[in-house]
Amino acid sequence: MMMTTGHVAPPGPARESLPEKRRSRRSALARRIKRLGQRILRRPPVTKAAGWLIHGALRFVRRTQDLAPGTSDWSDVLTREHPAIVALWHGQHLLAPFFRPESLPYVALLSRNADAEINAGVVERFGIDTVRGSGGRVRHTVSQKGGARALIVLRRKLAEGSGVCMIADVPKGTPREAGLGIVTLARLSGRPIIPAAAVTSRRYVVAKSWDKTTVPLPFGALAVVLGAPIHVPAGADAEAMEEARRAVTLAIEAANAKALALLAETGR
């Protein structure tokens, strides 16, 4: 019996199944919508309107908040230590204007992304000046986000008598871990870091955000805790700087824990 062998074609590329094609189209559409949304948010009329709305909403929330018993006398502390570097975590920055003494000049460090345009509109409506840059990382930001230039500007502002509100942890880095930027500013300026935390009993946490951004809600209680000033010597070496960075991390976390405990005592 004779046997014949046929030519077997090599396998071609696998075809996408219909469900896979649909998922791919939806993903591409989502990316296009996201890019469009980012372009819209960067338009000056949109950022201006958003800043105005958020500012109004925050003022309303603040008027409906009761201070939790045990809250720090921030006016006394910040007046006594002025000009100081008030250190906060990302995610709690929306509450910073709630405890800034209006009689004292302040400047806030903001990043250069699209969201920062809206943040700047909000902050400036509260009477706080802004400086653009990223002060969390020191070496990394020299070439990428103007970090070194921002620190120089902030040092000058402190020398001129303006306090600084600065987010201590690094954008897109490890949440609630202070970067070297804030301790570098304290070393260069000779001014103290004031660890700070502000928490409201009624709040919405943006779970998908890297820093768990907290949006304060009205008709709740507000707890503000300021820790003891942290000084960084002008001659601090790398080891001392790392020690100061860890101290700032622990102090802000301790302030945050105390603020939460004060709210728990209110039962709200």
Side-chain angles (χ1 to χ4, degrees), residues 15-87:
R15 293 184 176 180
E16 266 190 316
S17 66
L18 186 58
E20 288 173 339
K21 286 182 179 179
R22 288 174 177 167
R23 284 195 295 270
S24 179
R25 292 193 190 103
R26 285 197 296 266
S27 179
L29 178 61
R31 287 194 296 271
R32 286 196 293 270
I33 292 173
K34 182 179 180 180
R35 286 194 295 269
L36 176 61
Q38 289 173 339
R39 286 197 296 270
I40 291 172
L41 284 176
R42 289 188 177 97
R43 293 177 180 174
V46 176
T47 57
K48 185 177 181 179
W52 180 82
L53 288 170
I54 295 172
H55 172 259
L58 288 175
R59 284 178 61 87
F60 172 72
V61 169
R62 178 64 188 94
R63 284 196 297 268
T64 66
Q65 299 282 347
D66 297 322
L67 288 180
T71 285
S72 297
D73 185 347
W74 64 76
S75 183
D76 177 66
V77 173
L78 296 180
T79 300
R80 185 172 63 246
E81 300 295 338
H82 191 75
I85 305 161
V86 180

Side-chain angles (χ1 to χ4, degrees), residues 7-225:
H7 175 70
V8 179
R15 293 184 176 180
E16 266 190 316
S17 66
L18 186 58
E20 288 173 339
K21 286 182 179 179
R22 288 174 177 167
R23 284 195 295 270
S24 179
R25 292 193 190 103
R26 285 197 296 266
S27 179
L29 178 61
R31 287 194 296 271
R32 286 196 293 270
I33 292 173
K34 182 179 180 180
R35 286 194 295 269
L36 176 61
Q38 289 173 339
R39 286 197 296 270
I40 291 172
L41 284 176
R42 289 188 177 97
R43 293 177 180 174
V46 176
T47 57
K48 185 177 181 179
W52 180 82
L53 288 170
I54 295 172
H55 172 259
L58 288 175
R59 284 178 61 87
F60 172 72
V61 169
R62 178 64 188 94
R63 284 196 297 268
T64 66
Q65 299 282 347
D66 297 322
L67 288 180
T71 285
S72 297
D73 185 347
W74 64 76
S75 183
D76 177 66
V77 173
L78 296 180
T79 300
R80 185 172 63 246
E81 300 295 338
H82 191 75
I85 305 161
V86 180
L88 292 160
W89 287 145
H90 269 99
Q92 296 183 337
H93 58 280
L94 290 175
L95 294 171
F98 285 18
F99 62 91
R100 192 265 305 185
E102 294 185 3
S103 61
L104 300 177
Y106 264 86
V107 61
L109 177 64
L110 300 178
S111 63
R112 296 174 177 270
N113 58 29
D115 291 343
E117 293 297 327
I118 298 175
N119 289 337
V122 176
V123 168
E124 289 166 1
R125 282 177 172 82
F126 277 107
I128 301 172
D129 291 335
T130 58
V131 171
R132 301 304 178 86
S134 178
R137 299 180 180 94
V138 176
R139 296 184 185 87
H140 176 76
T141 55
V142 168
S143 61
Q144 297 212 9
K145 291 190 178 180
R149 184 180 63 81
L151 290 179
I152 291 170
V153 173
L154 292 175
R155 180 179 63 175
R156 187 181 74 242
K157 292 288 187 181
L158 285 164
E160 293 171 351
S162 180
V164 169
C165 181
M166 189 169 177
I167 297 174
D169 46 350
V170 180
K172 306 300 182 182
T174 302
R176 301 196 172 187
E177 181 176 320
L180 279 173
I182 194 165
V183 293
T184 300
L185 178 60
R187 177 173 62 82
L188 293 173
S189 66
R191 301 310 304 161
I193 297 171
I194 307 296
V199 185
T200 53
S201 60
R202 299 191 69 250
R203 58 192 181 272
Y204 171 74
V205 179
V206 184
K208 290 186 177 180
S209 60
W210 74 275
D211 58 357
K212 300 297 185 287
T213 294
T214 301
V215 180
L217 301 176
F219 308 111
L222 167 67
V224 177
V225 175

